[in-house]
């Protein structure tokens, strides 16, 4: 039974070829391409409004030197959001439930923010490792603690996204299994379980959007410290 529940997190294959790349490219089909029309439709206007709103909110606390990251962070946010939402559809695969993929996104982006700070303002970036006014006796200990917390950041980014999405998918599958199992014997309890399943599905929609936003928001905070 446990093996069946966790089979949903394995990458599907056709003739031994993993389909995870197809799942990663699927969100790009949700956005319209540029055209030569003077007037755009409501969907493209809504997409443009949401992207502009998110970009302004994300870049507002960052200095002008960090504005060049806006395209990268916005594209990452859109990709994670669409992957998380498409993964909630039946008979689909969610790549962001794989820790390897999330770490593959978190480590290079975190490392890029750190290297940006070391290149542009090395003194200020290294100054984050030692808070101002620290006693001399505590200086070596605090430097070690801050260094460890710095290197834990990408691990926390990847594990947070993986754990939240995995837990939500497991809860939905367990509740749906209980709903179908109780239907022949206890239909009333099965209906109550179906209501719980509906509420969990709505909650998982919110979690999918929030986790994509939190992932990019934390990256922007790391960038703010280094610009």
């Amino acid at each position: 039974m446990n093996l069946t529940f966790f089979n949903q997190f394995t990458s599907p294959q056709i003739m031994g070829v993993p389909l995870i790349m197809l799942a990663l490219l699927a969100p790009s089909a949700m956005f319209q391409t540029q055209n030569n029309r003077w007037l755009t439709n409501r969907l493209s206007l809504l997409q443009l409004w949401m992207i502009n709103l998110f970009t302004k909110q994300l870049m507002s606390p960052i200095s002008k030197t960090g504005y060049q990251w806006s395209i990268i962070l916005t594209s990452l946010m859109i990709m994670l959001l669409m992957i998380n939402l498409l993964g909630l559809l039946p008979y689909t695969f969610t790549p962001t439930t794989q820790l390897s993929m999330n770490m593959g996104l978190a480590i290079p982006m975190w490392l890029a923010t750190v290297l940006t700070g070391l290149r542009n303002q090395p003194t200020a970036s290294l100054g984050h490792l030692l808070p101002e006014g620290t006693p001399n006796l505590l200086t070596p200990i605090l430097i070690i603690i801050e260094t460890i917390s710095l290197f834990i950041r990408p691990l926390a980014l990847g594990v947070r996204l993986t754990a939240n999405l995995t837990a939500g998918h497991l809860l939905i599958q367990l509740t749906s299994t209980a709903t179908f199992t109780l239907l022949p014997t206890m239909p009333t309890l099965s209906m109550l379980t179906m209501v719980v399943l509906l509420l969990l599905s709505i909650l998982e929609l919110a979690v999918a959007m929030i986790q994509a936003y939190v992932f990019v928001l934390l990256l922007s905070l790391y960038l703010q410290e280094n610009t």
Side-chain angles (χ1 to χ4, degrees), residues 54 76-82 84-85 94 96 102 105 156-169 203-219:
F54 170 73
L76 180 62
M77 166 69 182
I78 294 173
M79 186 190 74
L80 291 176
L81 179 62
M82 298 308 298
N84 292 348
L85 293 178
T94 311
T96 45
N102 295 334
L105 292 174
L157 278 177
V159 171
R160 181 187 296 108
L161 183 59
T162 305
N164 282 281
L165 294 180
T166 303
H169 283 64
L203 177 62
E204 190 62 18
L205 280 173
V207 169
M209 293 185 285
I210 291 173
Q211 289 304 316
Y213 177 72
V214 168
F215 189 92
V216 179
L217 178 63
L218 290 177
L219 284 176

Side-chain angles (χ1 to χ4, degrees), residues 175-191 193:
T175 309
S176 60
T177 304
T179 301
F180 284 104
T181 303
L182 295 173
L183 185 59
T185 56
M186 291 179 285
T188 304
L189 185 58
S190 178
M191 292 297 106
T193 312

Side-chain angles (χ1 to χ4, degrees), residues 66-216:
Y67 286 177
Q68 58 187 348
W69 284 70
S70 60
I71 297 179
I72 299 175
L73 295 179
T74 304
S75 302
L76 180 62
M77 166 69 182
I78 294 173
M79 186 190 74
L80 291 176
L81 179 62
M82 298 308 298
I83 288 177
N84 292 348
L85 293 178
L86 290 176
L88 295 176
L89 297 176
Y91 304 104
T92 56
F93 171 69
T94 311
T96 45
T97 56
Q98 305 294 314
L99 182 61
S100 57
M101 176 189 164
N102 295 334
M103 294 302 296
L105 292 174
I107 292 177
M109 297 296 293
W110 164 82
L111 186 60
T113 59
V114 174
L115 294 179
T116 300
L118 292 177
R119 185 189 64 178
N120 296 335
Q121 44 180 13
T123 304
S125 296
L126 294 176
H128 291 297
L129 300 179
L130 185 63
E132 187 177 355
T134 304
N136 294 332
L137 293 177
L138 298 178
T139 298
I141 300 176
L142 283 179
I143 290 177
I144 295 174
I145 293 175
E146 292 295 331
T147 304
I148 294 174
S149 66
L150 178 65
F151 283 97
I152 285 178
R153 285 179 175 181
L155 180 63
L157 278 177
V159 171
R160 181 187 296 108
L161 183 59
T162 305
N164 282 281
L165 294 180
T166 303
H169 283 64
L170 281 176
L171 279 175
I172 289 177
Q173 184 168 3
L174 287 171
T175 309
S176 60
T177 304
T179 301
F180 284 104
T181 303
L182 295 173
L183 185 59
T185 56
M186 291 179 285
T188 304
L189 185 58
S190 178
M191 292 297 106
L192 293 177
T193 312
M194 186 178 297
V195 174
V196 175
L197 177 61
L198 178 61
L199 296 177
L200 280 176
S201 301
I202 298 174
L203 177 62
E204 190 62 18
L205 280 173
V207 169
M209 293 185 285
I210 291 173
Q211 289 304 316
Y213 177 72
V214 168
F215 189 92
V216 179

Side-chain angles (χ1 to χ4, degrees), residues 2 12 50 64 89 119 150 224:
N2 294 334
M50 292 180 62
K64 290 185 178 180
L89 297 176
R119 185 189 64 178
L150 178 65
Q224 182 181 358

Side-chain angles (χ1 to χ4, degrees), residues 1-16:
M1 182 66 69
N2 294 334
L3 181 61
T4 304
F5 285 151
F6 284 95
N7 276 348
Q8 61 175 319
F9 303 116
T10 59
S11 178
Q13 297 181 357
I14 292 181
M15 300 179 64

